[in-house]
Amino acid sequence: MDRFACGRGGTVLTMTACSRFHNPVDVHFGAGALAHLPELVGQRRAVLVTMPEARALGMTGQIEALLGQRLAGVIDQVSPNPDVRELAPMYGDFWRRYGQCEVIVALGGGSALDTAKLLMVAGEDDRFATLVDALDAGVTFRPARTKRLITVPTTAGTGSEVTPWATLWDRHVKRKKYSLHLPETWPQAAIVDPRLTRSLPRAVTLQSGLDALSHALEAIWNVNANPISDTFAVSAARDMMRVLPQLMASLDDEALRSQAALAALQAGMAFSNTKTALAHSISYDMTIRHGLPHGIACSFTLPAVMRLAIGRRADRDAVLARVFDGEIADIADAPDKLTAFLHGLGVATEFSAYGVSEPESSAMIAAALDGPRGRNFIGAPV
């Protein structure tokens, strides 16, 4: 029997295969969707977590106008790829100043949303070190206090608005990446308003779109894939490959921004159930050791990973073929099609282009295959 739980009420559908899909996030999508924020916050007190540039872009002012006295404060010092050293003082200050507030509104890209998820759970002592120590030891963190989270992405790519995962980096001491995911870190609601992406510069638009494409493809060549995640993933990958080149040529096109935002949301829905796989596993070393932006780091290896995936499982090959929708004669041609797509966007697909030698890249791939995300890949060693 198939059991699919979805939506706020946990609707259960019965089918013939054996899979489960669950996503409890209440999604509001479309131009102007930000106007729903007051009804989602209700009478609760909220804290805004966002990036420094949100004020100059007018976004912080929009939130302040919408929430009025319900907004208890603004934390706007979120930096890219939240790091242990930067987050520790922010975490302590948050729980001292806003411990009685019920809701966090996270506005921004993946880093802002990740930061909010890391802030929203606390142990008995309210110390960030307690959370980090649990992540480092690989044990489950048991929060004594939590906040509710409303996510408002300003990029079309993170997918974090509909997942429970938050990435935390230790770039200075242990040089590693942690992933927090708890039942409590699922957002209560997501507001995906494509108008909030209009100010994105070219580089961030590209990186965000490629991050979403990676989420979608990684959900397909994934041991945790199921028919519902496939539906989201195929649509997301196909649409992002169609839309992103057009958007890069016309950054002010609101219709294209909306299509990219929807594709990114669908990709988030897909990997909210499958998690990511090998390309993301490789990307973490590329970011922490070589400074490569996440969207490039997780996408430049996609053709190579696709070559490893093809032929492993006939059902996965069939789903991948749907992404290309008759544009290729044989699934074996798909990696070359994807390579041409990336090259057309100015993205190199060889490790050497990023200063990584062949011995280092081989070691990186081997380590990635053995990591928790790498083991989600259908071609990972058993």
Side-chain angles (χ1 to χ4, degrees):
M1 178 192 298
D2 250 353
R3 185 178 184 276
F4 297 114
C6 57
R8 297 171 75 183
T11 304
V12 176
L13 305 177
T14 300
M15 300 180 70
T16 55
C18 191
S19 306
R20 183 175 186 268
F21 187 96
H22 171 75
N23 191 300
V25 184
D26 179 23
V27 178
H28 296 249
F29 177 87
L34 186 61
H36 290 280
L37 181 61
E39 68 187 70
L40 291 172
V41 171
Q43 298 306 308
R44 298 172 296 180
R45 296 275 282 166
V47 179
L48 175 64
V49 173
T50 190
M51 64 279 188
E53 58 269 29
R55 176 71 68 182
L57 292 170
M59 295 178 183
T60 300
Q62 285 182 270
I63 303 296
E64 289 171 334
L66 285 166
L67 295 183
Q69 294 300 311
R70 287 172 286 179
L71 187 63
V74 176
I75 297 172
D76 60 1
Q77 296 306 309
V78 170
S79 57
N81 300 321
D83 182 81
V84 169
R85 192 161 68 179
E86 298 159 356
L87 270 181
M90 184 187 296
Y91 185 94
D93 185 62
F94 171 81
W95 282 98
R96 279 192 302 272
R97 296 177 63 190
Y98 303 117
Q100 300 307 309
C101 291
E102 299 103 319
V103 182
I104 298 175
V105 176
L107 172 77
S111 294
L113 275 55
D114 283 355
T115 297
K117 290 175 185 175
L118 290 158
L119 293 177
M120 70 186 288
V121 291
E124 294 285 357
D125 56 9
D126 291 349
R127 294 177 62 247
F128 192 55
T130 302
L131 171 58
V132 176
D133 288 347
L135 294 174
D136 191 52
V139 300
T140 301
F141 178 72
R142 310 246 178 229
R145 295 198 288 162
T146 64
K147 308 295 182 188
R148 299 307 302 274
L149 177 64
I150 298 172
T151 52
V152 187
T154 60
T155 64
T158 174
S160 185
E161 68 272 13
V162 289
T163 80
W165 295 298
T167 296
L168 174 66
W169 301 86
D170 184 342
R171 291 190 292 271
H172 305 285
V173 180
K174 298 197 173 180
R175 294 177 64 80
K176 63 190 294 188
K177 168 258 180 193
Y178 301 109
S179 181
L180 173 71
H181 53 282
L182 300 169
E184 293 86 355
T185 52
W186 280 103
Q188 173 190 338
I191 296 174
V192 183
D193 188 335
R195 289 178 179 170
L196 297 176
T197 71
R198 288 182 300 183
S199 62
L200 288 180
R202 178 176 298 274
V204 180
T205 299
L206 175 64
Q207 293 160 19
S208 301
L210 293 178
D211 192 14
L213 177 62
S214 182
H215 292 153
L217 292 175
E218 294 261 87
I220 293 173
W221 53 59
N222 199 300
V223 297
N224 302 307
N226 64 61
I228 295 183
S229 67
D230 284 346
T231 300
F232 284 124
V234 168
S235 180
R238 188 166 53 208
D239 290 351
M240 191 59 80
M241 290 184 70
R242 173 183 57 81
V243 168
L244 190 55
Q246 299 177 53
L247 181 56
M248 295 304 297
S250 186
L251 293 174
D252 294 328
D253 191 309
E254 188 169 316
L256 293 175
R257 288 284 185 189
S258 182
Q259 292 169 45
L262 181 57
L265 173 61
Q266 290 176 315
M269 293 294 290
F271 92 95
S272 75
N273 275 246
T274 65
K275 305 178 185 177
T276 51
L278 181 56
H280 267 73
S281 190
I282 295 169
S283 79
Y284 304 133
D285 266 353
M286 291 298 296
T287 294
I288 204 165
R289 299 184 185 281
H290 295 275
L292 202 59
H294 176 68
I296 305 299
C298 68
S299 63
F300 86 95
T301 60
L302 289 174
V305 175
M306 184 180 285
R307 287 189 179 93
L308 291 176
I310 289 172
R312 298 282 181 171
R313 283 176 42 181
D315 65 319
R316 299 297 88 205
D317 287 355
V319 175
L320 273 175
R322 287 162 49 196
V323 170
F324 296 92
D325 200 24
E327 295 181 9
I328 55 175
D330 188 276
I331 189 60
D333 299 327
D336 290 339
K337 183 78 173 178
L338 183 56
T339 299
F341 168 81
L342 291 169
H343 288 176
L345 293 170
V347 177
T349 54
E350 301 295 330
F351 278 96
S352 58
Y354 304 101
V356 180
S357 67
E358 194 282 329
E360 184 185 359
S361 65
S362 295
M364 199 180 292
I365 294 168
L369 279 166
D370 194 44
R373 290 295 184 263
R375 289 193 291 273
N376 293 333
F377 177 56
I378 56 173
V382 178

